[in-house]
């Protein structure tokens, strides 16, 4: 395996430098840019890569979860593994209905695909949506199963590099830091305590690190054989998978129930995963179902799309928190605007105007009232 200087430099300039929020890390790396890039090339070309250490922290929105950040060197190598090893070798096996985090795909692609499916089914007397959700997906991916899937598709040096990333969740310090972060958050928070307690720890030889590019791709790839089985063996082509969320539309309820049970059995026995029973259900599309943060219903042969209630409540809570942080001078106006702009402009379907009104009511109107109060003083 050989990599040249220009490839790593290009990754740094076009991906790492642009997307790393901690600019101090970028500055320190750039002080000795040529030396650092040369060292990375030497490590890759001589198959000497060994993992350093994650910087682990908690984020709160849209829900409490752990993020495992990399230093610049490890992040560059991680992007190289994803861009130049995993994607060229493995992406050809992925079905077009497997949409999360892939180029020219994502959430909007999934929703547009679902809208096409609904157009085919909405005039039928009955049509049902099977929603299936995997519990703690990233924490549950089995290392042995994943390695066996990719071993024969990579050469020896490539596999060894990917294996280093997969095994990186086995270090004892990771669970210790997660426990410490959970306890700290519990000690200073008065709400969402159950959500904090539910943050899982890593089991030995289980799970992928959350927050890096190789993990995202491997998580998309992990269930690709099941995707093909659903489409080609079960002949259920009206299917979408968005990471760990499955959706199948079908007009035969009994067959759909049978396939649901078969899929769950495969997930548990072959992939060592557990299905979230609370989020796994079959509903008539006329009654409505949620997918990718939206609620879909068929009313009078028309497809109605609205932002799901849980999504609206999370957005409202986040806007109010950003407003509070800004009012108490804990973040700048620029940071506050960056935080809420996603909610103001990021919903392209359904209740777009309602989401904009949430932002106006809980952020901008409070700003207007604050200015009025200052003028009175």
């Amino acid at each position: 395996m050989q990599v040249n200087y220009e490839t790593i430099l290009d990754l740094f300039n076009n991906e790492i430098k642009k997307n790393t929020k901690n600019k101090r890390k970028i500055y320190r790396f750039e002080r000795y840019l040529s030396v650092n890039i040369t060292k990375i090339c030497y490590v890759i070309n001589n198959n000497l890569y060994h993992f350093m250490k994650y910087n682990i922290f908690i984020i709160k929105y849209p829900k409490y979860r752990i993020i495992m950040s990399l230093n610049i060197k490890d992040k560059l190598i991680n992007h190289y593994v994803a861009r130049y090893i995993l994607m060229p070798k493995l992406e050809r096996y992925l079905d077009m209905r497997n949409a999360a985090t892939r180029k020219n795909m994502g959430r909007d692609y999934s929703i547009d695909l679902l809208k096409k499916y609904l157009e085919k089914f909405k005039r039928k007397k009955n049509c049902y949506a099977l929603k299936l959700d995997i519990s703690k997906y990233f924490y549950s991916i089995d290392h042995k199963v994943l390695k066996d899937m990719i071993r024969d598709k990579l050469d020896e040096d490539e596999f060894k590099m990917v294996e280093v990333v997969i095994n990186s969740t086995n270090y004892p310090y990771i669970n210790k830091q997660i426990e410490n972060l959970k306890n700290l958050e519990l000690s200073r928070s008065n709400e969402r305590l159950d959500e904090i307690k539910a943050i899982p720890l890593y089991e030995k030889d289980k799970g992928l690190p959350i927050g890096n590019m190789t993990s995202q791709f491997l998580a998309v790839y992990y269930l690709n054989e099941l995707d093909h089985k659903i489409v080609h063996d079960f002949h259920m082509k009206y299917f979408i998978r968005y990471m760990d969320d499955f959706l199948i539309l079908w007009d035969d309820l009994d067959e759909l129930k049978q396939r649901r049970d078969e899929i769950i059995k495969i997930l548990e026995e072959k992939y060592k995963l557990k299905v979230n029973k609370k989020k796994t259900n079959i509903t008539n599309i006329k009654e409505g179902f949620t997918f990718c943060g939206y609620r879909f219903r068929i009313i009078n042969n028309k497809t109605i799309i609205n932002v799901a209630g849980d999504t609206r409540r999370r957005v409202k809570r986040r806007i109010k928190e950003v407003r509070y942080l800004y009012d108490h001078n804990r973040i700048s106006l620029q940071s506050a605007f960056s935080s809420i702009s996603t909610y103001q402009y990021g919903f392209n379907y359904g209740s777009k105007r309602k989401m904009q009104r949430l932002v106006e009511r809980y952020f901008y109107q409070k700003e207007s009232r604050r200015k009025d109060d200052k003028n009175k003083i």
Side-chain angles (χ1 to χ4, degrees), residues 261-301:
D261 295 341
E262 291 176 13
I263 292 168
I264 290 174
K265 185 178 180 182
I266 293 169
L267 287 169
E268 292 176 346
E269 293 181 0
K270 179 178 179 178
Y271 295 100
K272 318 299 181 187
L273 299 171
K274 293 181 180 179
V275 172
N276 188 332
K277 298 293 176 63
K278 292 182 179 179
K279 294 183 179 180
T280 297
N281 51 64
I282 297 176
T283 56
N284 192 304
I285 62 172
K286 294 178 181 178
E287 297 172 3
F289 60 93
T290 59
F291 187 68
C292 286
Y294 290 89
R295 182 167 180 80
F296 298 82
R297 287 180 297 166
I298 301 298
I299 300 176
N300 297 326
N301 290 330

Side-chain angles (χ1 to χ4, degrees), residues 38-265:
T38 302
K39 283 182 178 179
I40 290 172
C41 292
Y42 180 81
V43 165
I44 294 174
N45 290 335
N46 292 278
N47 204 14
L48 298 174
Y49 182 55
H50 64 277
F51 193 76
M52 297 297 287
K53 194 174 182 179
Y54 289 110
N55 173 34
I56 304 173
F57 57 93
I58 285 179
I59 62 171
K60 299 180 181 181
Y61 296 95
K63 61 183 179 179
Y64 272 100
R65 60 191 178 106
I66 290 293
I67 295 294
M68 301 165 73
S69 176
L70 298 163
N71 63 41
I72 300 300
K73 185 200 87 171
D74 283 322
K75 189 175 288 189
L76 263 170
I77 293 175
N78 194 279
H79 277 239
Y80 173 79
V81 170
R83 293 286 188 209
Y84 291 92
I85 298 176
L86 294 178
M87 291 180 182
K89 293 290 183 75
L90 302 180
E91 192 155 23
R92 71 188 75 171
Y93 299 104
L94 301 182
D95 188 87
M96 51 80 69
R97 302 162 186 84
N98 177 359
T101 73
R102 296 172 62 190
K103 186 177 181 180
N104 299 323
M105 293 190 179
R107 189 178 70 166
D108 286 355
Y109 172 88
S110 300
I111 293 170
D112 287 339
L113 191 59
L114 176 54
K115 286 169 67 179
K116 291 179 183 178
Y117 292 171
L118 290 170
E119 285 297 315
K120 293 180 180 293
F121 280 102
K122 66 184 182 181
R123 288 181 175 82
K124 292 195 174 187
K125 184 177 180 181
N126 287 305
C127 176
Y128 304 92
L130 165 60
K131 266 196 66 184
L132 193 147
D133 180 82
I134 298 168
S135 180
K136 310 297 181 187
Y137 180 55
F138 268 83
Y139 293 90
S140 305
I141 290 173
D142 188 273
H143 289 185
K144 183 179 183 305
V145 174
L146 177 58
K147 290 175 190 178
D148 288 345
M149 287 178 180
I150 65 175
R151 194 185 305 271
D152 64 341
K153 297 174 179 64
L154 308 176
D155 67 35
E156 185 178 348
D157 290 343
E158 292 169 342
F159 178 78
K160 188 175 179 181
M161 283 199 72
V162 176
E163 190 177 33
V164 170
V165 178
I166 294 172
N167 290 340
S168 66
T169 58
N170 285 334
Y171 292 107
Y173 79 89
I174 290 177
N175 281 340
K176 289 180 181 178
Q177 283 192 228
I178 293 174
E179 284 280 20
N180 291 338
L181 288 167
K182 286 172 66 176
N183 291 333
L184 179 62
E185 199 65 32
L186 287 168
S187 68
R188 62 188 185 188
S189 180
N190 296 319
E191 57 181 18
R192 300 167 67 191
L193 299 182
D194 290 341
E195 199 176 323
I196 300 169
K197 292 175 183 177
I199 296 174
L201 301 176
Y202 282 96
E203 297 178 28
K204 178 73 172 175
D205 294 324
K206 289 270 191 178
L208 293 174
I210 297 175
N212 67 53
M213 182 176 282
T214 55
S215 293
Q216 290 181 350
F217 184 84
L218 289 170
V220 167
Y221 180 80
Y222 189 64
L223 296 174
N224 89 90
E225 291 179 9
L226 178 57
D227 298 339
H228 288 284
K229 187 174 187 66
I230 291 170
V231 174
H232 300 292
D233 294 349
F234 295 169
H235 304 292
M236 291 183 154
K237 63 180 180 179
Y238 301 106
F239 156 72
I240 305 170
R241 179 164 69 86
Y242 193 84
M243 196 60 77
D244 59 333
D245 291 327
F246 288 73
L247 181 72
I248 302 174
L249 299 186
W250 206 244
D251 56 0
D252 187 324
L253 180 59
D254 291 334
E255 184 181 1
L256 194 57
K257 287 179 179 179
Q258 178 188 339
R259 297 307 188 188
R260 174 199 60 193
D261 295 341
E262 291 176 13
I263 292 168
I264 290 174
K265 185 178 180 182

